[in-house]
Amino acid sequence: MMSGVHRLKQSITAIKGIGDETAVALAEMNIYSIEDLLEHYPFRYEDYRLKDLTEVKHEERLTLEGKVQSEPSLVYYGRKKSRLTVKLLVDHFLIQVIFFNQPYLKKKIVLNETIQVTGKWDMHRRTITASEMQLGPSNQKEMLSPVYHVKGTITVKGIRRFLQLAFQQYGDKINETLPQHLLAKYRLPSRKESIKMIHFPSDDDDIKQARRRIVYEEFLYFQLKMQALRKFEREQSQGVMQSYDLKKLKGFLHSLPFPLTNAQKRVVNEILADMKSPYRMSRLLQGDVGSGKTVVAAIALFASISAGFQGALMVPTEILAEQHAESLIGLLQAFNIQCELLTSSVKGKKRKEILERLQLGEIDVLIGTHALIQDEVHFHKLGLVITDEQHRFGVEQRKILREKGENPDVLFMTATPIPRTLAITVFGEMDVSVIDEMPVGRKTIETYWAKHEMLERVLAFMEKELAKGRQAYVICPLIEESEKLDVQNAIDVHAALMTYFDGRYQIGLMHGRLNADEKDTVMKAFSQNELQVLVSTTVVEVGVNVPNATLMVIYDAERFGLAQLHQLRGRVGRGSEQSYCILLANPKTEIGKERMQIMTETNDGFVLSEKDLELRGPGDFFGKKQSGVPEFKLADMVHDYRTLETARNDAAMMIQSEEFWHSPSYAALRDYLHKSEVLKGEKLD
Ligand code: ADP
Ligand code: MG
């Protein structure tokens, strides 16, 4: 006999009443098996339950019952457009009902008869814009009706009917997947009950309870994969044990021109503990722009070198590599530590020499771009790899890096504050450290939001700053669909500013179409104040350090994510002078306005990134190309964040426990893990 699980894996056509043609249409919606259908959850419910008008909120959807008080009046406008209005007495209130483009209803609505209408309530106008109508007083029982995403020939009503059939024929075969003690602990309904309640709820509580269970289960499955991957990584990959010299390290700390912040101390300890352990470190270090990650990197590198290893620092651009090399040499040189820079512009004899000395172990720290992960680069004894702005490196490069050398410890640094929710999902296989405190005495960057009409005033302000001897960035948005447009935009703005400043100041132009050398030349000219204004696309986004720049103007700011705006803003405020950021934006939506507003209100990258995630959703957070954000059928990482955390902790505990790997109550979860894509080919037990 087939087990319940297997039965639900059968093709959808096993359901009597669903034929081949329907199956083809359902396949378009990625519904192939009975289980797929059962897990095609509604995204909202139509509420046909009668409501008390006094309790209804503005813009809420609802069903009302009342007596018709006027002859319906029908108005045509435009082509095929019509508006039907009628007055309705609901309880003691007289309200207006509007139907758009349903002229045929006019004949059905009769004065003094009772009707029910379903639609959206406008509290201020005491009007309901109705999409549905029923004649006569309500006799059917109060109802919540699920609404599904559909495609092609499949309708919502169709899905409802298919689900009814599925339940009649296979409802009994929905087996439990979670161990009983977890159901008891969180008071979750069974899998069968939950799936039933989510599709056929009798009240709001059914939906709530069903959701709780399904969301938890989805997160748990996902986190089990992540935690298993992590366990696997740790056990399979014996890392290097770096027994650093604590005394020397303390000497180094004393040599720093400032005391570490508490947050820096905490993350340094987390990193050192990893390095000393036999596990291979795989840690994400997050810290807002200016929070002092470089010095943390220097400490980790120092520790590694004192233990007899070499270190590498990898960054996404040449400009950044040079800047990092400069600061690291400044910090480490006094301790006789050899640092070298390797980028694609280091060529010929010099390159050969560096590669040789590296292999001999004469170079302690190598700093560079992607050049570092090329085949020709061989370390003598690589112990620690650090990457800066790691989100720029895709998952693939993350992997190459981990595979380079003899299992070096890896630290990924990023200034993009990744909301906790995303960090524990997207980077779930890593440990996370956070620098959540700024060094004392930082001036906050004053941020203003101006409409494009105010450009003249903004330029006047810019001129004032320039007259004081300061410099300014002007950023034009990156338009993903069209690189051309993007470049054109920067070119136009550059031309306009040339006209405006008329030779009084030098204005540079930078965009993605320039090659690395050209970019470098422009950037150097700006950092040496040969250019006072730099018009650029987002290529200046990361790491660039020109302390004399005090003004950042961002065109069409509403096109950027908040996290990105914050990154851009971080290019100023690096010197001792007060800095400013001006967002030029005419957002069309309320959300757009809210986003500009919040930029002016906070300088906290984490607050902004959480807000960004909330406003734009996880898919948009990293941009489409390398999001890697998992998709859930019902769960929402932002709103169900607490459940996500709970599931994560539970998953971590399970993976560590003996019981999980042997007890029958975990059989379904184990089975799922063994079949999951992530762990294909890996042996877990
Ligand atoms: P980011 O995290 O953006 O890489 P940096 O490492 O470049 O930040 O640090 C920004 C500035 O703050 C640098 O000039 C650095 O010397 C300084 N800094 C770092 N840590 C401290 C500290 N604990 N106290 C004072 N200044 C610090
Ligand atoms: Mg940095």
Side-chain angles (χ1 to χ4, degrees):
M1 222 193 83
M2 263 198 270
S3 74
V5 179
H6 285 129
R7 290 210 171 193
L8 298 184
K9 298 277 185 220
Q10 291 180 92
S11 158
I12 197 84
T13 50
I15 297 173
K16 289 191 200 76
I18 296 186
D20 290 342
E21 212 169 300
T22 308
V24 169
L26 285 171
E28 285 295 305
M29 296 165 54
N30 290 324
I31 297 174
Y32 304 96
S33 66
I34 301 171
E35 187 169 56
D36 293 339
L37 176 64
L38 293 174
E39 291 181 359
H40 188 68
Y41 304 122
F43 65 94
R44 69 175 179 86
Y45 296 85
E46 200 70 87
D47 190 350
Y48 293 111
R49 298 170 302 180
L50 296 178
K51 281 270 171 69
D52 182 345
L53 248 192
T54 53
E55 287 169 10
V56 180
K57 292 192 205 81
H58 184 53
E59 304 222 304
E60 192 177 319
R61 261 190 90 80
L62 77 163
T63 299
L64 293 173
E65 182 175 291
K67 215 175 216 183
V68 177
Q69 298 292 303
S70 68
E71 290 291 347
S73 101
L74 180 63
V75 183
Y76 281 93
Y77 61 100
R79 284 187 54 186
K80 291 185 187 166
K81 287 187 175 164
S82 72
R83 208 176 101 118
L84 182 68
T85 51
V86 65
K87 291 210 162 48
L88 199 65
L89 188 68
V90 179
D91 302 331
H92 301 291
F93 306 102
L94 192 63
I95 67 158
Q96 174 161 261
V97 185
I98 306 176
F99 298 92
F100 285 106
N101 309 323
Q102 299 190 63
Y104 47 86
L105 290 179
K106 183 172 166 35
K107 284 197 198 120
K108 295 191 177 175
I109 298 173
V110 179
L111 195 63
N112 289 324
E113 293 288 302
T114 297
I115 61 169
Q116 292 162 54
V117 293
T118 302
K120 199 186 207 181
W121 176 240
D122 183 329
M123 189 172 82
H124 311 300
R125 298 200 172 83
R126 309 192 64 76
T127 297
I128 182 166
T129 305
S131 53
E132 290 173 49
M133 186 199 77
Q134 287 200 326
L135 297 174
S138 157
N139 45 18
Q140 75 185 103
K141 76 173 179 9
E142 304 192 335
M143 208 168 91
L144 277 168
S145 213
V147 184
Y148 300 92
H149 289 296
V150 287
K151 228 181 186 177
T153 55
I154 305 288
T155 61
V156 172
K157 280 196 176 128
I159 293 281
R160 287 181 194 155
R161 193 164 47 83
F162 301 149
L163 276 162
Q164 238 146 20
L165 293 172
F167 264 93
Q168 280 159 16
Q169 298 168 37
Y170 291 94
D172 289 345
K173 304 289 183 264
I174 303 174
N175 288 348
E176 188 49 64
T177 47
L178 300 176
Q180 283 304 322
H181 74 265
L182 274 183
L183 296 183
K185 181 174 170 195
Y186 299 124
R187 294 168 204 272
L188 298 173
S190 72
R191 181 165 159 81
K192 184 172 146 192
E193 270 305 297
S194 308
I195 294 184
K196 188 162 184 195
M197 291 191 297
I198 202 105
H199 293 297
F200 310 103
S202 46
D203 55 33
D204 293 317
D205 195 53
D206 275 5
I207 300 171
K208 191 171 151 198
Q209 298 308 327
R211 245 197 129 260
R212 276 200 326 121
R213 144 96 206 200
I214 295 168
V215 166
Y216 175 78
E217 182 174 335
E218 277 196 294
F219 282 150
L220 185 70
Y221 274 42
F222 177 74
Q223 289 294 338
L224 277 173
K225 275 198 294 197
M226 286 303 209
Q227 298 297 327
L229 196 65
R230 189 167 153 202
K231 175 184 158 81
F232 179 76
E233 266 241 349
R234 290 203 153 192
E235 287 172 2
Q236 293 295 302
S237 54
Q238 268 295 319
V240 284
M241 266 170 85
Q242 309 199 48
S243 318
Y244 53 82
D245 187 326
L246 190 61
K247 214 172 127 207
K248 277 192 190 163
L249 192 60
K250 281 191 171 155
F252 177 60
L253 292 180
H254 283 300
S255 81
L256 295 174
F258 43 72
L260 295 182
T261 62
N262 286 327
Q264 282 170 323
K265 281 185 203 156
R266 192 183 62 236
V267 304
V268 163
N269 283 328
E270 287 165 356
I271 292 164
L272 291 179
D274 275 359
M275 287 171 62
K276 205 158 59 175
S277 85
Y279 294 132
R280 176 165 57 176
M281 171 165 76
S282 178
R283 186 171 283 280
L284 180 69
L285 172 61
Q286 294 188 57
D288 213 339
V289 179
S291 63
K293 292 184 294 299
T294 312
V295 68
V296 171
I299 295 167
L301 287 167
F302 187 99
S304 187
I305 292 153
S306 79
F309 291 88
Q310 290 170 300
L313 176 65
M314 188 161 102
V315 298
T317 66
E318 300 219 348
I319 302 166
L320 261 183
E322 281 170 29
Q323 282 184 7
H324 270 297
E326 204 175 299
S327 21
L328 285 182
I329 289 169
L331 291 165
L332 298 172
Q333 208 169 31
F335 294 83
N336 202 20
I337 290 173
Q338 301 300 311
C339 303
E340 282 291 349
L341 178 68
L342 184 71
T343 63
S344 49
S345 32
V346 179
K347 293 188 180 103
K349 224 175 107 189
K350 174 85 179 159
R351 186 178 192 87
K352 209 168 145 236
E353 187 204 304
I354 289 180
L355 292 176
E356 275 169 17
R357 285 175 54 219
L358 185 72
Q359 200 159 11
L360 290 171
E362 289 170 16
I363 293 172
D364 299 308
V365 180
L366 190 65
I367 300 144
T369 51
H370 287 93
L372 293 199
I373 52 172
Q374 278 158 11
D375 288 342
E376 55 165 356
V377 181
H378 300 285
F379 288 83
H380 174 66
K381 203 179 172 194
L382 182 61
L384 174 67
V385 176
I386 304 179
T387 73
D388 199 6
E389 297 312 335
Q390 72 81 226
H391 66 287
R392 289 290 176 110
F393 298 113
V395 179
E396 260 315 294
Q397 282 152 332
R398 248 147 74 184
K399 218 171 134 210
I400 295 180
L401 204 61
R402 270 182 250 185
E403 281 161 7
K404 188 138 193 113
E406 300 79 53
N407 291 331
D409 285 327
V410 184
L411 180 67
F412 303 95
M413 303 199 295
T414 179
T416 306
I418 301 165
R420 264 187 67 77
T421 24
L422 280 187
I424 67 177
T425 47
V426 183
F427 300 105
E429 90 277 20
M430 294 186 215
D431 295 302
V432 179
S433 290
V434 181
I435 307 182
D436 51 6
E437 178 188 359
M438 285 287 177
V440 285
R442 277 286 148 76
K443 279 207 178 76
T444 55
I445 301 161
E446 284 180 26
T447 302
Y448 300 96
W449 164 27
K451 301 267 173 77
H452 283 281
E453 302 87 90
M454 288 159 74
L455 183 61
E456 283 285 325
R457 279 175 62 188
V458 173
L459 292 179
F461 181 74
M462 188 185 298
E463 176 132 33
K464 248 172 70 187
E465 281 297 294
L466 298 179
K468 286 191 224 159
R470 315 267 183 272
Q471 289 164 276
Y473 292 97
V474 176
I475 305 296
C476 300
L478 178 118
I479 300 163
E480 273 189 10
E481 295 85 349
S482 161
E483 210 181 309
K484 244 189 211 153
L485 237 172
D486 168 29
V487 173
Q488 194 52 48
N489 200 343
I491 291 171
D492 288 349
V493 170
H494 178 251
L497 290 182
M498 294 276 269
T499 312
Y500 182 87
F501 288 112
D502 194 24
R504 277 165 295 169
Y505 298 102
Q506 297 306 308
I507 299 163
L509 173 63
M510 174 127 113
H511 53 70
R513 289 280 181 89
L514 303 181
N515 66 33
D517 280 350
E518 290 166 329
K519 274 186 209 156
D520 240 36
T521 310
V522 177
M523 209 53 231
K524 279 208 182 97
F526 185 64
S527 67
Q528 285 159 16
N529 202 0
E530 288 158 18
L531 297 169
Q532 286 74 50
V533 180
L534 182 64
V535 178
S536 175
T537 57
T538 50
V539 290
V540 290
E541 189 183 334
V542 255
V544 169
N545 190 22
V546 180
N548 191 47
T550 53
L551 175 60
M552 163 71 54
V553 176
I554 305 175
Y555 273 71
D556 295 319
E558 77 274 13
R559 287 177 187 269
F560 296 97
L562 294 180
Q564 203 181 7
L565 285 174
H566 183 62
Q567 279 282 306
L568 289 166
R569 175 166 66 182
R571 297 310 105 221
V572 297
R574 308 197 134 230
S576 50
E577 304 301 327
Q578 177 61 51
S579 287
Y580 308 89
C581 174
I582 299 177
L583 308 168
L584 281 170
N586 295 29
K588 292 191 185 71
T589 62
E590 282 308 311
I591 287 181
K593 287 175 193 161
E594 200 180 323
R595 293 173 66 240
M596 292 305 106
Q597 191 58 35
I598 188 152
M599 279 301 296
T600 66
E601 285 165 8
T602 181
N603 266 285
D604 184 328
F606 277 95
V607 171
L608 288 170
S609 72
E610 293 284 354
K611 196 74 191 170
D612 215 13
L613 183 61
E614 191 186 310
L615 293 176
R616 305 210 307 171
D620 276 344
F621 191 80
F622 293 107
K624 292 206 172 53
K625 273 173 219 136
Q626 45 173 309
S627 79
V629 177
E631 281 179 19
F632 299 100
K633 288 183 173 170
L634 191 67
D636 176 323
M637 286 196 292
V638 180
H639 292 107
D640 302 318
Y641 156 73
R642 275 165 201 270
T643 310
L644 176 60
E645 283 207 316
T646 307
R648 179 178 185 248
N649 294 338
D650 289 349
M653 295 240 290
M654 279 181 204
I655 293 288
Q656 295 305 329
S657 74
E658 276 298 304
E659 229 195 321
F660 179 80
W661 300 104
H662 301 111
S663 150
S665 59
Y666 290 98
L669 293 179
R670 258 192 330 259
D671 197 44
Y672 164 78
L673 256 192
H674 283 294
K675 286 195 184 116
S676 80
E677 280 298 317
V678 180
L679 300 177
K680 281 249 163 78
E682 321 270 35
K683 226 181 135 320
L684 279 163
D685 293 358

